[in-house]
Amino acid sequence: MIAIIKYNAGNIKSVQNALLRLGHEGIITDDPQTIINADKVIFPGVGEAGSAMKYLRKKGLDQLIVNLKQPVLGICLGLQLLCDETEEGQTKCLGVFENKVKRFKDLDIVPHMGWNNFIDVKGQLFNNLTVEDDVYFVHGYYAELSAQTTAICDYINPFSAALEKNNFYATQFHPEKSADIGERILCNFLEL
């Protein structure tokens, strides 16, 4: 079973629909026991970091998520919330990844919206993929580069397009909106 964490963020249904296209059912839930019992957990979202963290804390999901042992995939806001902190509302996040999330400085060309390829890719999510592959982004904040960065993209400045640490994986881009390349990335996650 695949649990899709519900925390009042947008874009969760598109992840569920992407899983259905791949022949998998994803259950949208904020129930701790359902999440703990899942084979895989997806932590997607579009929204504002402060209110998202407030909901996670209220439901006790902040402590639950960081202690999960099965493969976990954060997407977009999910990646940012898995980092230490974000400039968005000066919000303390979950701290799985030691990255700080910053706002793109050139406000005339923010958000980063549309297709972009990578400068570098490595790690299990990117099996059989190359830097030439394009994925879809929509974000105004980014995770800085770190030792946990597994994909680098350049928009205004280089940033972490993906992160990996132990059983935690995360993408700033939206694999569920990235056509065939995104489906391959989701399949790579589901095969872990």
Side-chain angles (χ1 to χ4, degrees), residues 49 76-77 79-81 83-88 93 98-107 109-112 137-146 149 151-163 171-173:
C76 194
L77 181 60
L79 172 142
Q80 294 173 11
L81 295 179
C83 292
D84 277 337
E85 61 185 307
T86 176
E87 288 183 350
E88 185 177 21
C93 299
E98 290 106 38
N99 301 64
K100 293 197 181 344
V101 176
K102 297 191 167 191
R103 182 178 172 89
F104 285 116
K105 297 301 180 206
D106 191 339
L107 299 180
I109 51 177
V110 171
H112 176 206
F137 291 88
V138 180
H139 63 118
Y141 292 83
Y142 66 92
E144 293 181 306
L145 300 177
S146 73
T149 300
I152 301 171
C153 186
D154 187 53
Y155 184 78
I156 301 175
N157 50 261
F159 66 88
S160 293
L163 298 166
T171 65
Q172 182 59 66
F173 58 89

Side-chain angles (χ1 to χ4, degrees), residues 59-87:
K59 293 286 192 173
L61 297 176
D62 56 331
Q63 293 301 310
L64 181 138
I65 291 168
V66 299
N67 289 301
L68 291 172
K69 302 301 181 207
Q70 68 271 62
V72 177
L73 175 63
I75 297 174
C76 194
L77 181 60
L79 172 142
Q80 294 173 11
L81 295 179
L82 288 169
C83 292
D84 277 337
E85 61 185 307
T86 176
E87 288 183 350

Side-chain angles (χ1 to χ4, degrees), residues 5 21 44 47 67 88 98 100 115 119 124 130 176 192:
I5 297 179
R21 286 193 303 273
N67 289 301
E88 185 177 21
E98 290 106 38
K100 293 197 181 344
W115 295 87
I119 295 172
Q124 298 180 66
T130 71
E176 77 281 6
L192 291 172

